[in-house]
Amino acid sequence: MTATPELSTPPEIGGIGHSVLRQEDDRLIEGQGDFLDDLVLPGMLHMAIHRSPVAHARIRGIDTEAASAVEGVVAVVTGELMAAHNLAWMPTLSGDTQAVLATDKVRYQGQEVAAVIATDPYIAADAATLIEVDYEMLPAVTGPQQSLSADAPVIRDEKEGQTDNLVYTWSSGDAEATDAAFARAAKVVSLETFYPRSHPAPLETCGIVADVNSVTGQATVYLTSQAPHAHRTLFALVAGLPEQKIRIISPDIGGGFGNKVPIYPGYVVATAASLLLGTPVKWIESRSDNLISTGFGRDYHMRGELALDDDGRILALRADVLSDQGAFYSDAQPSNFRAGLFHVVTGSYDFGAAHVTCKGAFTNKAPGGVAYRCSFRITEASYLIERLVQNAAYEIGMDPAEFRLLNFIRSDQFPYTTPTGFVYDSGDYHTAMRKAMDEVGYTELRATQAAAREEGRLIGIGVAHFTEAVGAGPSRTYDIAGLKMFDSAELRVHPTGKAILKLGVKTQGQGHETTFAQIVASELGIPVTDIKVVHGDTDNTPYGLGTYASRSTPTSGAATSMVSRKLADKARKIAAHLLEAAEADIDLAAGVFSVRGTPERSVTIQDVAFAAYTNMPEGLEHGLEGSSYYDPPNLTFPYGSYIVVVEVDPETGVWKVERMVALDDCGVRINPMIVEGQIHGGLTEGFAKSSMQWITFDDDGNCIGSNFMDYLVPTAWETPRFELLETCVPSPHHPIGAKGVGESATVGSPAAYVNAVIDALAHLGVRNIDMPVLPDRVWDAIQSAS
Ligand code: CDP
């Protein structure tokens, strides 16, 4: 199927397929949002963190006297005090430990060393600068290659049995079959590339207001959290607080993008301080705190090799990855997969063998590796295979789009098992690619490119086709820190036919208050505007693993369908009672229950809701409410074909995007407008990564990229115009056929932009320019080629 299915509800109900305006936006754009820093509680104190200015040093002593003497300072907290409460270290989501406040050593610039609690945020920040730490400097290790060399200092020397800086070695696929395929290959193509460290940089930084009642022990924690339920359980386990006395409220957090999944030391210190002082304590990061010290993404050094036969068909893939994990291993990855889902690196292609190895290394950098606007490490994987495939096409003299069409998994091969064990649910890659090629005018463009070359102009046409794996669970395979990855929804229809839907996931701006209401509207015919969607409050929503890695729609969205269907079943019984007909004869369409054959005999969902509280048939419980916990049978696999056209200035290396055609297939689109917004965001981010954005470090471990002057966030001025297309191959196992889409464009587009620049220079023999593709790098490539 390649067209969006027909709408089942009229616009006034606004179910699946309608571009309903975002219900949350009036509140958000009129200044009525409820962000963390807006929160003021009576008697609230403020916390500021003193961070290490150096990357690696032993702590000889900490002098807090001057800070403590400042008027308005209530307490200064050090690691020693935290240690007295057994809280100097905390477990990470990946089974490592992380210092809450440093006691023995600092291991990266920006690490938390002490905290000041004061009556005013500025007093706290000023006093934090007065803390004096006596450091004995140690050599900084700023790259994973250096870190794994024999003479590197051991960064995690506090860990029993740790004698080097290796975090893990993990592999997937069949090494023997892969070796055999390489042995019989007609050609082997290789690429060594680096996906630099980058940062989610949400609009609102991370923060907490901890309010622990010293009498009742009730801890109400307002937290910038993408996963409030999981965080509540982990808080209970770490702090030993009874879970029923912890309520986590995640308000209108201004974006997450993976940054708000980990638990940060500031959260733990603020909660401990509130517990000890008996007053609410607020901590919110500065922009630099956020950029230097919280969950980074990427930082993958990758080498890939493709084995090809005589006809240009891929036989096998070998990939070796070296991951820079920073000083603590604190990724939020599913436990079974230490390098995330990197083994989806076989991409959209049909071949028999693959072997992937990944090593993680500790370095003197902030801990990183969050699922930054992608499903766990899939952006890196997609980037590697798409760059490799492009180069393979050049090496055998085939057009890169034709090479992909030759090697794609065919639509009749789905469900398709990849050589690393994923089962792709559905797809039609050939149709997607051809549609994108038609839209951009691919054949003519190649002719234009050739003619332009004659005039010394450098036009490049970059292609990327990606397959993403989103929607984790299923719970039998996927868990984070032992918590199984299912998700939930709870729905209650009130007597007047209005409804409240409570979600296990947590919106950070993706429009869940609209799209999830649309699912209910489609199933029950209750208008979207009559449905209130609640999320982010653990006392008032069912348990769920949260929103990241495009999992909300495939998991909690599915649970929303399932609970709506449960209510529809009960509603049908009530309608049969009201219509004095047999339940089996009742049809439901767009909120109207009618008797089959005599459609004029009907009642509405609103009539049924009223009857659920006033006129129930004998033997049926009152009320119209229920909940569903949905454990998906598989991931869903959205995909897309992207084509970018650039022109490179041969004199300066500056490149400009002339066209960006992006075709996405996320199955059934609940809200086409919201999906397009998600894609625009991802394409913009892909453009930023490929052209301007990275975080790097000098040899001493000083972070370069600690503010928005160094870490560039694209504006509307430089962002290209996007031309969006779609196909629709529904997910066969999802109740409404939707696949997640939230992150796809970030996954697919960086390779498309970079491939476009490389394509402009491919005839000169250029095969690689690392991201970000800065003009000087392009210019260097041109110079060394000529
Ligand atoms: O987990 P997250 O919400 O970030 O990702 P998602 O489930 O892919 O959804 C992103 C937004 O797009 C949500 O508002 C979804 O409901 C919406 N969406 C949609 O309207 N149709 C789809 N097929 C997929 C997502």
Side-chain angles (χ1 to χ4, degrees):
M1 195 194 292
T2 55
T4 301
E6 282 187 15
L7 302 176
S8 61
T9 50
E12 57 277 15
I13 291 179
I16 294 171
H18 290 284
S19 286
V20 175
L21 292 182
R22 288 168 39 114
Q23 305 293 293
E24 45 272 79
D25 279 359
D26 286 350
R27 190 180 83 242
L28 296 176
I29 61 181
E30 289 189 26
Q32 299 298 316
D34 196 8
F35 295 92
L36 190 109
D37 208 18
D38 295 332
L39 195 72
V40 178
L41 297 182
M44 186 174 81
L45 298 173
H46 299 264
M47 186 176 97
I49 291 180
H50 175 94
R51 295 175 183 278
S52 169
V54 297
H56 201 192
R58 203 159 291 286
I59 296 177
R60 287 205 201 102
I62 303 176
D63 183 351
T64 58
E65 215 179 297
S68 304
V70 174
E71 202 183 324
V73 169
V74 177
V76 179
V77 186
T78 60
E80 207 179 320
L81 181 63
M82 294 299 282
H85 295 274
N86 207 18
L87 284 172
W89 291 81
M90 63 178 184
T92 70
L93 295 177
S94 309
D96 190 13
T97 47
Q98 175 169 359
V100 175
L101 293 178
T103 45
D104 54 341
K105 287 203 303 189
V106 288
R107 293 173 171 83
Y108 61 90
Q109 187 189 51
Q111 188 179 336
E112 298 80 354
V113 179
V116 176
I117 323 285
T119 49
D120 174 280
Y122 299 101
I123 293 176
D126 287 349
T129 64
L130 300 178
I131 293 170
E132 296 279 347
V133 184
D134 182 11
Y135 291 115
E136 176 193 333
M137 294 301 291
L138 298 168
V141 181
T142 56
Q145 295 88 350
Q146 178 196 0
S147 160
L148 294 185
S149 70
D151 56 349
V154 178
I155 294 167
R156 297 296 303 281
D157 49 352
E158 93 293 351
K159 268 173 95 90
E160 222 177 288
Q162 182 85 36
T163 53
D164 57 21
N165 293 317
L166 184 68
V167 186
Y168 60 81
T169 303
W170 174 84
S171 66
S172 175
D174 185 335
E176 231 171 84
T178 305
D179 288 348
F182 270 87
R184 64 172 200 277
K187 185 150 190 85
V188 172
V189 181
S190 63
L191 174 74
E192 207 156 335
T193 185
F194 173 49
Y195 204 126
R197 180 170 279 230
S198 50
H199 199 279
L203 216 52
E204 184 186 25
T205 56
C206 300
I208 183 172
V209 177
D211 182 13
V212 187
N213 185 305
S214 53
V215 178
T216 63
Q218 171 68 40
T220 306
V221 177
Y222 302 85
L223 194 68
T224 49
S225 167
Q226 292 180 231
H229 286 281
H231 283 160
R232 185 191 67 200
T233 302
L234 296 171
F235 261 63
L237 295 175
V238 172
L241 295 170
E243 197 168 357
Q244 84 281 9
K245 293 204 170 172
I246 306 173
R247 178 179 179 191
I248 294 196
I249 299 173
S250 185
D252 278 328
I253 60 174
F257 311 114
N259 191 218
K260 292 167 181 169
V261 177
I263 293 183
Y264 295 116
Y267 297 168
V268 179
V269 183
T271 308
S274 175
L275 182 72
L276 295 176
L277 297 169
T279 48
V281 173
K282 178 191 275 189
W283 167 69
I284 185 138
E285 295 170 322
S286 69
R287 178 57 61 189
S288 289
D289 288 350
N290 179 264
L291 284 170
I292 293 180
S293 63
T294 56
F296 291 80
R298 325 294 187 232
D299 222 340
Y300 255 32
H301 299 257
M302 303 182 282
R303 184 183 156 75
E305 283 179 300
L306 279 183
L308 306 175
D309 73 8
D310 277 330
D311 303 323
R313 291 204 63 110
I314 305 171
L315 297 172
L317 165 79
R318 204 183 270 135
D320 278 301
V321 175
L322 188 50
S323 167
D324 187 334
Q325 297 290 162
F328 304 107
Y329 179 39
S330 69
D331 285 12
Q333 307 286 357
S335 307
N336 287 342
F337 309 111
R338 312 213 77 187
L341 307 186
F342 185 83
H343 43 325
V344 78
V345 65
T346 56
S348 312
Y349 308 100
D350 173 29
F351 53 86
H355 190 246
V356 181
T357 313
C358 186
K359 278 188 165 77
F362 289 121
T363 58
N364 290 120
K365 290 150 91 171
V370 297
Y372 169 21
R373 248 206 118 145
C374 75
S375 218
F376 320 101
R377 300 297 196 176
I378 288 183
T379 301
E380 293 90 319
S382 175
Y383 183 72
L384 179 63
I385 185 71
E386 286 308 305
R387 294 286 323 285
L388 255 178
V389 160
Q390 184 92 358
N391 282 358
Y394 298 138
E395 292 303 312
I396 63 168
M398 194 185 277
D399 177 87
E402 292 303 326
F403 182 83
R404 286 176 169 86
L405 289 166
L406 176 70
N407 282 289
F408 274 156
I409 300 162
R410 295 187 317 274
S411 57
D412 61 2
Q413 289 177 284
F414 291 95
Y416 176 86
T417 305
T418 71
T420 51
F422 291 95
V423 182
Y424 291 178
D425 55 356
S426 61
D428 182 353
Y429 300 160
H430 290 88
T431 300
M433 183 71 146
R434 288 205 175 98
K435 197 168 167 180
M437 288 168 75
D438 287 348
E439 181 68 21
V440 83
Y442 192 80
T443 315
E444 304 83 68
L445 260 177
R446 284 287 175 205
T448 309
Q449 179 188 41
R453 262 185 209 152
E454 299 295 314
E455 299 164 15
R457 287 171 58 211
L458 298 174
I459 289 179
I461 306 156
V463 179
H465 184 100
F466 68 93
T467 297
E468 208 194 349
V470 305
S475 67
R476 67 177 181 280
T477 320
Y478 297 95
D479 71 84
I480 290 193
L483 299 173
K484 299 284 189 183
M485 298 182 82
F486 55 83
D487 231 291
S488 62
E490 196 180 295
L491 178 61
R492 183 182 308 159
V493 184
H494 303 307
T496 54
K498 317 290 180 191
I500 181 162
L501 173 70
K502 302 178 176 189
L503 304 177
V505 293
K506 160 72 200 156
T507 193
Q508 306 125 41
Q510 297 94 331
H512 294 169
E513 290 174 32
T514 308
T515 51
F516 283 65
Q518 288 184 259
I519 297 173
V520 177
S522 269
E523 299 282 353
L524 287 174
I526 299 172
V528 166
T529 45
D530 286 353
I531 302 166
K532 174 176 170 181
V533 178
V534 175
H535 52 88
D537 176 351
T538 55
D539 268 10
N540 286 310
T541 53
Y543 202 93
L545 265 282
T547 295
Y548 38 86
S550 292
R551 65 182 300 277
S552 300
T553 302
T555 57
S556 185
T560 300
S561 301
M562 302 313 277
V563 68
S564 303
R565 288 175 193 180
K566 272 191 203 171
L567 265 55
D569 287 344
K570 184 171 182 185
R572 199 173 272 110
K573 289 188 198 334
I574 302 171
H577 161 70
L578 296 178
L579 293 165
E580 295 176 348
E583 188 191 331
D585 291 339
I586 301 293
D587 288 331
L588 167 61
V592 177
F593 296 84
S594 56
V595 181
R596 197 163 309 128
T598 49
E600 63 284 1
R601 285 178 64 204
S602 65
V603 287
T604 63
I605 180 70
Q606 290 76 18
D607 299 329
V608 168
F610 198 67
Y613 299 88
T614 58
N615 176 16
M616 283 293 268
E618 199 77 17
L620 210 57
E621 268 182 35
H622 278 87
L624 195 53
E625 64 182 81
S627 61
S628 268
Y629 282 73
Y630 185 78
D631 188 1
N634 188 7
L635 300 160
T636 67
F637 293 85
Y639 57 92
S641 276
Y642 292 170
I643 303 181
V644 173
V645 183
V646 298
E647 178 147 8
V648 177
D649 182 339
E651 302 296 327
T652 60
V654 170
W655 53 282
K656 192 167 175 290
V657 175
E658 302 293 343
R659 306 251 331 248
M660 176 10 146
V661 171
L663 181 146
D664 274 88
D665 192 314
C666 59
V668 173
R669 294 182 176 209
I670 301 163
N671 185 317
M673 177 196 69
I674 286 180
V675 167
E676 290 193 1
Q678 295 282 307
I679 294 169
H680 277 188
L683 296 176
T684 306
E685 228 161 274
F687 172 67
K689 291 283 152 303
S690 59
S691 63
M692 63 178 84
Q693 204 168 69
W694 59 343
I695 288 187
T696 186
F697 294 80
D698 69 14
D699 289 345
D700 296 324
N702 294 308
C703 175
I704 297 159
S706 58
N707 57 68
F708 282 160
M709 297 293 282
D710 292 326
Y711 190 69
L712 303 178
V713 177
T715 67
W717 179 257
E718 58 273 329
T719 300
R721 203 176 83 78
F722 307 124
E723 301 167 56
L724 303 191
L725 300 172
E726 65 174 283
T727 54
C728 174
V729 180
S731 170
H733 65 75
H734 190 273
I736 55 172
K739 303 172 179 179
V741 72
E743 337 283 4
S744 293
T746 323
V747 171
S749 62
Y753 293 110
V754 177
N755 279 345
V757 179
I758 305 264
D759 189 71
L761 312 178
H763 63 295
L764 304 174
V766 174
R767 294 288 179 269
N768 193 17
I769 305 174
D770 272 336
M771 284 195 289
V773 183
L774 302 170
D776 58 332
R777 290 179 164 186
V778 179
W779 194 82
D780 283 348
I782 296 172
Q783 297 314 301
S784 40
S786 48

